[in-house]
PDB file of all heavy atoms in Angstrom:
ATOM      1  N   ARG A 272      45.505 -51.064 -34.659  1.00 97.00           N
ATOM      2  CA  ARG A 272      45.825 -52.485 -34.584  1.00 97.00           C
ATOM      3  C   ARG A 272      44.851 -53.142 -33.606  1.00 97.00           C
ATOM      4  O   ARG A 272      44.448 -52.532 -32.609  1.00 97.00           O
ATOM      5  CB  ARG A 272      47.261 -52.702 -34.105  1.00 97.00           C
ATOM      6  CG  ARG A 272      48.314 -52.080 -35.005  1.00 97.00           C
ATOM      7  CD  ARG A 272      49.722 -52.351 -34.515  1.00 97.00           C
ATOM      8  NE  ARG A 272      50.073 -53.770 -34.633  1.00 97.00           N
ATOM      9  CZ  ARG A 272      51.256 -54.269 -34.271  1.00 97.00           C
ATOM     10  NH1 ARG A 272      52.174 -53.470 -33.757  1.00 97.00           N
ATOM     11  NH2 ARG A 272      51.505 -55.549 -34.405  1.00 97.00           N
ATOM     12  N   SER A 273      44.484 -54.356 -33.866  1.00 97.00           N
ATOM     13  CA  SER A 273      43.549 -55.081 -32.995  1.00 97.00           C
ATOM     14  C   SER A 273      44.207 -55.388 -31.653  1.00 97.00           C
ATOM     15  O   SER A 273      45.431 -55.559 -31.578  1.00 97.00           O
ATOM     16  CB  SER A 273      43.103 -56.390 -33.659  1.00 97.00           C
ATOM     17  OG  SER A 273      42.418 -56.128 -34.860  1.00 97.00           O
ATOM     18  N   PRO A 274      43.428 -55.489 -30.586  1.00 98.00           N
ATOM     19  CA  PRO A 274      43.978 -55.849 -29.282  1.00 98.00           C
ATOM     20  C   PRO A 274      44.460 -57.301 -29.258  1.00 98.00           C
ATOM     21  O   PRO A 274      44.123 -58.096 -30.138  1.00 98.00           O
ATOM     22  CB  PRO A 274      42.787 -55.664 -28.331  1.00 98.00           C
ATOM     23  CG  PRO A 274      41.763 -54.906 -29.088  1.00 98.00           C
ATOM     24  CD  PRO A 274      41.981 -55.219 -30.527  1.00 98.00           C
ATOM     25  N   VAL A 275      45.216 -57.638 -28.230  1.00 97.00           N
ATOM     26  CA  VAL A 275      45.678 -59.024 -28.033  1.00 97.00           C
ATOM     27  C   VAL A 275      44.489 -59.928 -27.737  1.00 97.00           C
ATOM     28  O   VAL A 275      44.350 -61.009 -28.302  1.00 97.00           O
ATOM     29  CB  VAL A 275      46.706 -59.096 -26.883  1.00 97.00           C
ATOM     30  CG1 VAL A 275      47.023 -60.555 -26.546  1.00 97.00           C
ATOM     31  CG2 VAL A 275      47.971 -58.343 -27.254  1.00 97.00           C
ATOM     32  N   LEU A 276      43.598 -59.442 -26.848  1.00 96.00           N
ATOM     33  CA  LEU A 276      42.425 -60.242 -26.458  1.00 96.00           C
ATOM     34  C   LEU A 276      41.279 -60.031 -27.430  1.00 96.00           C
ATOM     35  O   LEU A 276      40.993 -58.893 -27.838  1.00 96.00           O
ATOM     36  CB  LEU A 276      41.947 -59.875 -25.055  1.00 96.00           C
ATOM     37  CG  LEU A 276      42.683 -60.434 -23.835  1.00 96.00           C
ATOM     38  CD1 LEU A 276      41.876 -60.131 -22.591  1.00 96.00           C
ATOM     39  CD2 LEU A 276      42.944 -61.915 -23.948  1.00 96.00           C
ATOM     40  N   SER A 277      40.596 -61.082 -27.766  1.00 95.00           N
ATOM     41  CA  SER A 277      39.380 -60.990 -28.566  1.00 95.00           C
ATOM     42  C   SER A 277      38.246 -60.445 -27.699  1.00 95.00           C
ATOM     43  O   SER A 277      38.347 -60.401 -26.464  1.00 95.00           O
ATOM     44  CB  SER A 277      38.995 -62.364 -29.099  1.00 95.00           C
ATOM     45  OG  SER A 277      38.640 -63.223 -28.014  1.00 95.00           O
ATOM     46  N   THR A 278      37.157 -60.052 -28.349  1.00 93.00           N
ATOM     47  CA  THR A 278      35.979 -59.576 -27.615  1.00 93.00           C
ATOM     48  C   THR A 278      35.460 -60.652 -26.667  1.00 93.00           C
ATOM     49  O   THR A 278      35.096 -60.375 -25.517  1.00 93.00           O
ATOM     50  CB  THR A 278      34.870 -59.165 -28.598  1.00 93.00           C
ATOM     51  OG1 THR A 278      35.341 -58.091 -29.409  1.00 93.00           O
ATOM     52  CG2 THR A 278      33.623 -58.733 -27.861  1.00 93.00           C
ATOM     53  N   ALA A 280      37.117 -63.020 -25.252  1.00 95.00           N
ATOM     54  CA  ALA A 280      38.024 -63.162 -24.114  1.00 95.00           C
ATOM     55  C   ALA A 280      37.894 -61.985 -23.147  1.00 95.00           C
ATOM     56  O   ALA A 280      38.027 -62.148 -21.926  1.00 95.00           O
ATOM     57  CB  ALA A 280      39.457 -63.288 -24.614  1.00 95.00           C
ATOM     58  N   LEU A 281      37.635 -60.787 -23.684  1.00 96.00           N
ATOM     59  CA  LEU A 281      37.469 -59.602 -22.835  1.00 96.00           C
ATOM     60  C   LEU A 281      36.326 -59.788 -21.843  1.00 96.00           C
ATOM     61  O   LEU A 281      36.423 -59.398 -20.678  1.00 96.00           O
ATOM     62  CB  LEU A 281      37.214 -58.379 -23.717  1.00 96.00           C
ATOM     63  CG  LEU A 281      36.927 -57.060 -22.997  1.00 96.00           C
ATOM     64  CD1 LEU A 281      38.131 -56.610 -22.189  1.00 96.00           C
ATOM     65  CD2 LEU A 281      36.540 -55.971 -24.015  1.00 96.00           C
ATOM     66  N   TYR A 296      45.750 -55.685 -15.996  1.00 97.00           N
ATOM     67  CA  TYR A 296      46.573 -55.749 -17.210  1.00 97.00           C
ATOM     68  C   TYR A 296      45.891 -56.614 -18.274  1.00 97.00           C
ATOM     69  O   TYR A 296      45.972 -56.330 -19.468  1.00 97.00           O
ATOM     70  CB  TYR A 296      47.959 -56.319 -16.893  1.00 97.00           C
ATOM     71  CG  TYR A 296      48.871 -55.348 -16.185  1.00 97.00           C
ATOM     72  CD1 TYR A 296      49.094 -55.443 -14.815  1.00 97.00           C
ATOM     73  CD2 TYR A 296      49.516 -54.326 -16.888  1.00 97.00           C
ATOM     74  CE1 TYR A 296      49.933 -54.556 -14.153  1.00 97.00           C
ATOM     75  CE2 TYR A 296      50.352 -53.425 -16.237  1.00 97.00           C
ATOM     76  CZ  TYR A 296      50.557 -53.547 -14.869  1.00 97.00           C
ATOM     77  OH  TYR A 296      51.386 -52.652 -14.224  1.00 97.00           O
ATOM     78  N   THR A 297      45.214 -57.667 -17.828  1.00 97.00           N
ATOM     79  CA  THR A 297      44.493 -58.523 -18.770  1.00 97.00           C
ATOM     80  C   THR A 297      43.362 -57.745 -19.429  1.00 97.00           C
ATOM     81  O   THR A 297      43.111 -57.873 -20.635  1.00 97.00           O
ATOM     82  CB  THR A 297      43.933 -59.764 -18.050  1.00 97.00           C
ATOM     83  OG1 THR A 297      44.969 -60.398 -17.309  1.00 97.00           O
ATOM     84  CG2 THR A 297      43.351 -60.756 -19.044  1.00 97.00           C
ATOM     85  N   LEU A 298      42.687 -56.926 -18.637  1.00 97.00           N
ATOM     86  CA  LEU A 298      41.615 -56.081 -19.182  1.00 97.00           C
ATOM     87  C   LEU A 298      42.167 -55.151 -20.268  1.00 97.00           C
ATOM     88  O   LEU A 298      41.565 -54.991 -21.337  1.00 97.00           O
ATOM     89  CB  LEU A 298      40.988 -55.263 -18.057  1.00 97.00           C
ATOM     90  CG  LEU A 298      39.703 -54.501 -18.378  1.00 97.00           C
ATOM     91  CD1 LEU A 298      38.528 -55.464 -18.445  1.00 97.00           C
ATOM     92  CD2 LEU A 298      39.447 -53.426 -17.334  1.00 97.00           C
ATOM     93  N   LEU A 299      43.326 -54.556 -20.002  1.00 98.00           N
ATOM     94  CA  LEU A 299      43.937 -53.652 -20.975  1.00 98.00           C
ATOM     95  C   LEU A 299      44.259 -54.361 -22.281  1.00 98.00           C
ATOM     96  O   LEU A 299      44.172 -53.758 -23.360  1.00 98.00           O
ATOM     97  CB  LEU A 299      45.214 -53.033 -20.392  1.00 98.00           C
ATOM     98  CG  LEU A 299      45.023 -51.968 -19.306  1.00 98.00           C
ATOM     99  CD1 LEU A 299      46.374 -51.536 -18.741  1.00 98.00           C
ATOM    100  CD2 LEU A 299      44.275 -50.765 -19.850  1.00 98.00           C
ATOM    101  N   GLU A 300      44.615 -55.632 -22.203  1.00 98.00           N
ATOM    102  CA  GLU A 300      44.937 -56.390 -23.411  1.00 98.00           C
ATOM    103  C   GLU A 300      43.741 -56.503 -24.358  1.00 98.00           C
ATOM    104  O   GLU A 300      43.902 -56.751 -25.552  1.00 98.00           O
ATOM    105  CB  GLU A 300      45.443 -57.783 -23.051  1.00 98.00           C
ATOM    106  CG  GLU A 300      46.842 -57.785 -22.444  1.00 98.00           C
ATOM    107  CD  GLU A 300      47.329 -59.188 -22.141  1.00 98.00           C
ATOM    108  OE1 GLU A 300      46.489 -60.127 -22.134  1.00 98.00           O
ATOM    109  OE2 GLU A 300      48.533 -59.365 -21.896  1.00 98.00           O
ATOM    110  N   GLY A 301      42.539 -56.326 -23.822  1.00 97.00           N
ATOM    111  CA  GLY A 301      41.341 -56.370 -24.655  1.00 97.00           C
ATOM    112  C   GLY A 301      40.886 -55.007 -25.134  1.00 97.00           C
ATOM    113  O   GLY A 301      39.923 -54.909 -25.898  1.00 97.00           O
ATOM    114  N   LEU A 302      41.578 -53.946 -24.678  1.00 98.00           N
ATOM    115  CA  LEU A 302      41.131 -52.590 -25.005  1.00 98.00           C
ATOM    116  C   LEU A 302      42.134 -51.793 -25.825  1.00 98.00           C
ATOM    117  O   LEU A 302      41.737 -50.919 -26.603  1.00 98.00           O
ATOM    118  CB  LEU A 302      40.814 -51.819 -23.709  1.00 98.00           C
ATOM    119  CG  LEU A 302      39.651 -52.364 -22.867  1.00 98.00           C
ATOM    120  CD1 LEU A 302      39.513 -51.562 -21.581  1.00 98.00           C
ATOM    121  CD2 LEU A 302      38.348 -52.338 -23.641  1.00 98.00           C
ATOM    122  N   ILE A 303      43.426 -52.053 -25.665  1.00 98.00           N
ATOM    123  CA  ILE A 303      44.422 -51.241 -26.363  1.00 98.00           C
ATOM    124  C   ILE A 303      44.968 -51.967 -27.586  1.00 98.00           C
ATOM    125  O   ILE A 303      44.882 -53.189 -27.702  1.00 98.00           O
ATOM    126  CB  ILE A 303      45.590 -50.845 -25.429  1.00 98.00           C
ATOM    127  CG1 ILE A 303      46.401 -52.079 -25.013  1.00 98.00           C
ATOM    128  CG2 ILE A 303      45.068 -50.104 -24.210  1.00 98.00           C
ATOM    129  CD1 ILE A 303      47.658 -51.745 -24.223  1.00 98.00           C
ATOM    130  N   ASP A 304      45.529 -51.203 -28.506  1.00 98.00           N
ATOM    131  CA  ASP A 304      46.151 -51.782 -29.697  1.00 98.00           C
ATOM    132  C   ASP A 304      47.331 -52.669 -29.292  1.00 98.00           C
ATOM    133  O   ASP A 304      48.074 -52.339 -28.356  1.00 98.00           O
ATOM    134  CB  ASP A 304      46.647 -50.671 -30.626  1.00 98.00           C
ATOM    135  CG  ASP A 304      45.515 -49.867 -31.241  1.00 98.00           C
ATOM    136  OD1 ASP A 304      44.361 -50.027 -30.800  1.00 98.00           O
ATOM    137  OD2 ASP A 304      45.793 -49.073 -32.162  1.00 98.00           O
ATOM    138  N   LYS A 305      47.506 -53.732 -29.995  1.00 98.00           N
ATOM    139  CA  LYS A 305      48.574 -54.691 -29.705  1.00 98.00           C
ATOM    140  C   LYS A 305      49.945 -54.008 -29.743  1.00 98.00           C
ATOM    141  O   LYS A 305      50.238 -53.199 -30.617  1.00 98.00           O
ATOM    142  CB  LYS A 305      48.536 -55.833 -30.721  1.00 98.00           C
ATOM    143  CG  LYS A 305      49.559 -56.928 -30.484  1.00 98.00           C
ATOM    144  CD  LYS A 305      49.441 -58.022 -31.533  1.00 98.00           C
ATOM    145  CE  LYS A 305      50.482 -59.114 -31.302  1.00 98.00           C
ATOM    146  NZ  LYS A 305      50.392 -60.176 -32.345  1.00 98.00           N
ATOM    147  N   ASP A 306      50.771 -54.348 -28.739  1.00 97.00           N
ATOM    148  CA  ASP A 306      52.161 -53.872 -28.653  1.00 97.00           C
ATOM    149  C   ASP A 306      52.275 -52.350 -28.618  1.00 97.00           C
ATOM    150  O   ASP A 306      53.247 -51.767 -29.118  1.00 97.00           O
ATOM    151  CB  ASP A 306      52.993 -54.407 -29.839  1.00 97.00           C
ATOM    152  CG  ASP A 306      53.089 -55.927 -29.847  1.00 97.00           C
ATOM    153  OD1 ASP A 306      53.057 -56.516 -28.755  1.00 97.00           O
ATOM    154  OD2 ASP A 306      53.188 -56.500 -30.948  1.00 97.00           O
ATOM    155  N   SER A 307      51.298 -51.679 -28.005  1.00 98.00           N
ATOM    156  CA  SER A 307      51.341 -50.210 -27.966  1.00 98.00           C
ATOM    157  C   SER A 307      51.615 -49.672 -26.558  1.00 98.00           C
ATOM    158  O   SER A 307      51.631 -48.460 -26.356  1.00 98.00           O
ATOM    159  CB  SER A 307      50.010 -49.632 -28.471  1.00 98.00           C
ATOM    160  OG  SER A 307      48.948 -49.923 -27.586  1.00 98.00           O
ATOM    161  N   ARG A 516      36.309 -49.415 -27.352  1.00 98.00           N
ATOM    162  CA  ARG A 516      37.318 -48.818 -28.233  1.00 98.00           C
ATOM    163  C   ARG A 516      36.679 -47.859 -29.245  1.00 98.00           C
ATOM    164  O   ARG A 516      37.213 -46.780 -29.517  1.00 98.00           O
ATOM    165  CB  ARG A 516      38.083 -49.927 -28.964  1.00 98.00           C
ATOM    166  CG  ARG A 516      39.103 -50.644 -28.108  1.00 98.00           C
ATOM    167  CD  ARG A 516      39.585 -51.948 -28.737  1.00 98.00           C
ATOM    168  NE  ARG A 516      40.046 -51.833 -30.111  1.00 98.00           N
ATOM    169  CZ  ARG A 516      41.266 -51.469 -30.488  1.00 98.00           C
ATOM    170  NH1 ARG A 516      42.165 -51.159 -29.556  1.00 98.00           N
ATOM    171  NH2 ARG A 516      41.601 -51.404 -31.767  1.00 98.00           N
TER     172      ARG A 516
END
Side-chain angles (χ1 to χ4, degrees):
R272 300 182 68 180
S273 298
V275 172
L276 281 190
S277 66
T278 298
L281 176 64
Y296 285 102
T297 309
L298 190 75
L299 287 175
E300 288 182 345
L302 296 176
I303 66 173
D304 292 11
K305 183 180 179 181
D306 297 330
S307 67
R516 284 165 51 84

